[in-house]
Amino acid sequence: MNDAVKPTTTLICGSLAFDKIMQYHGRFSEALIADQLHKVNVSFLVPTLRTEYGGCAANVAYNLGMLGGDPLIMATLGQDGGEYLERFATMGISTRAIRTIGHAYTAQCFVTADQDNNQINAFHPGAMQFSHENNLADYGPLRIAIIGPDGRDGMLKHASDCVSASVPFMFDPGQQLPMFNGEELRDFIEKATYLAANDYEFEMLTERTGWSAEQIASRLEALIVTRGDLGSEIFANGERILIPVVGASAVVDPTGCGDAYRAGLLYGIAKGFDWATTGRLASLLGSIKIAHQGGQNHRFTPAEIGERFEAAFGYRFQ
């Protein structure tokens, strides 16, 4: 297939969620008694509450759409997901691969933070547990896919579906990595074309698989490891490419920064950019996101990204 007729769609497999974020104006440590933690019964007054649109799939699609990419979310919403579908419609993001599970609620994360930014979280997977009911073959042709944090059965199925359909995919286990044993993770890596993880996740990945970074990278076209304010690394074609951090205008909220970064990776891969440019674009998107509260409240246009990229790196990627 030549470049003129290659599909452009990026399939994004992962969670859709509502994040309920509450702020406790005291300290958890002052409400908890160390030697009584076996019988905790406490209540925290939370004067502030906000709801954010979240989920890895939505965050990635949000950024990829603003870049000018062609995102297609394949995920599950619950009976309460109507407003999310309306939001996607206003953003011009297709909902044809989103399945509504009528007997479940949309996945939700309940976050309570104290004044020291310690957090107590509760996550209800809800409709996400039925992601395996989606079939990749129903939504082709596809340029690339990403398998992000989602229902366990769905992640396993979608990896196999990508292989069956000869669709290259990025494995991004994220917070769902602990659900898989070493054999399952090795199988994901053998099937994947690319792998993205933060440094903590990658350490867990090497421990569970028993493979070194070199052994993992040798099985992929590219291994991407993010390291927070130390930047990131891309291992590809036998090289180690260091990607610098782009200075942020403010450091407000890291939620969704990894998803913004992955949108940059997917855009660069789909456009055929070299890895240094792809990683720098990803880094730029992460720096824009961190200056805003929530995963989907920042805004940019392709033209603005081009200008900011040139200002940061001295050349244009477009």
Side-chain angles (χ1 to χ4, degrees):
M1 183 179 289
N2 60 48
D3 290 342
V5 296
K6 272 188 177 179
T8 62
T9 300
T10 297
L11 187 72
I12 304 171
C13 308
S15 61
L16 299 177
F18 295 120
D19 296 332
K20 310 286 187 179
I21 302 171
M22 295 159 279
Q23 186 68 47
Y24 172 55
H25 290 177
R27 291 184 170 86
F28 294 144
S29 61
E30 295 171 353
L32 299 171
I33 303 172
D35 62 357
Q36 298 295 312
L37 294 180
H38 62 289
K39 54 177 182 180
V40 173
N41 185 359
V42 296
S43 177
F44 300 105
L45 177 65
V46 288
T48 60
L49 165 68
R50 73 176 193 275
T51 299
E52 296 283 0
Y53 293 97
C56 296
N59 292 342
V60 172
Y62 178 79
N63 288 276
L64 187 55
M66 287 193 294
L67 274 176
D70 182 18
L72 178 63
I73 298 171
M74 189 170 78
T76 45
L77 281 172
Q79 57 186 277
D80 55 341
E83 65 181 273
Y84 222 148
L85 294 175
E86 293 172 4
R87 176 175 171 80
F88 289 136
T90 64
M91 294 189 296
I93 294 176
S94 173
T95 60
R96 65 187 177 92
I98 298 175
R99 182 184 297 265
T100 296
I101 308 298
H103 56 81
Y105 289 105
T106 299
Q108 299 187 46
C109 186
F110 300 86
V111 181
T112 303
D114 71 2
Q115 67 182 42
D116 294 326
N117 208 33
N118 297 307
Q119 293 186 354
I120 297 175
N121 298 343
F123 182 73
H124 172 64
M128 194 177 82
Q129 299 171 98
F130 301 92
S131 62
H132 59 278
E133 294 184 8
N134 283 322
N135 298 304
L136 180 143
D138 296 337
Y139 304 110
L142 304 168
R143 171 67 179 84
I144 187 175
I146 180 171
I147 297 175
D150 205 350
R152 171 187 161 83
D153 292 343
M155 293 176 72
L156 292 166
K157 180 179 184 295
H158 299 153
S160 295
D161 287 351
C162 282
V163 173
S164 296
S166 299
V167 174
F169 76 90
M170 179 179 294
F171 181 44
D172 173 28
Q175 66 266 31
Q176 298 294 69
L177 193 154
M179 293 193 308
F180 302 104
N181 61 35
E183 181 180 352
E184 290 165 332
L185 291 169
R186 288 191 293 270
D187 187 58
F188 271 120
I189 293 168
E190 294 283 9
K191 290 174 177 173
T193 310
Y194 318 98
L195 187 149
N198 65 31
D199 46 3
Y200 179 82
E201 293 160 355
F202 189 64
E203 289 299 320
M204 183 181 294
L205 193 66
T206 57
E207 180 181 317
R208 292 208 171 187
T209 60
W211 287 344
S212 66
E214 292 75 16
Q215 289 173 311
I216 293 174
S218 70
R219 290 168 164 83
L220 302 159
E221 285 191 19
L223 165 65
I224 303 98
V225 181
T226 60
R227 301 190 181 280
D229 59 5
L230 298 179
S232 52
E233 301 170 293
I234 299 178
F235 300 86
N237 304 315
E239 296 181 83
R240 175 174 173 259
I241 303 164
L242 298 178
I243 305 298
V245 167
V246 178
S249 59
V251 178
V252 175
D253 180 11
T255 304
C257 286
D259 299 325
Y261 184 101
R262 281 147 182 77
L265 293 177
L266 293 167
Y267 185 84
I269 293 169
K271 291 294 185 180
F273 296 161
D274 62 69
W275 282 109
T277 297
T278 296
R280 288 169 178 170
L281 176 61
S283 180
L284 174 60
L285 262 63
S287 76
I288 292 172
K289 205 313 308 164
I290 203 170
H292 299 79
Q293 194 80 54
Q296 300 174 36
N297 293 317
H298 54 296
R299 300 281 191 276
F300 58 78
T301 66
E304 289 168 345
I305 288 294
E307 292 169 1
R308 294 181 68 161
F309 186 97
E310 185 174 20
F313 300 112
Y315 69 98
R316 296 191 73 86
F317 70 86
Q318 297 166 312

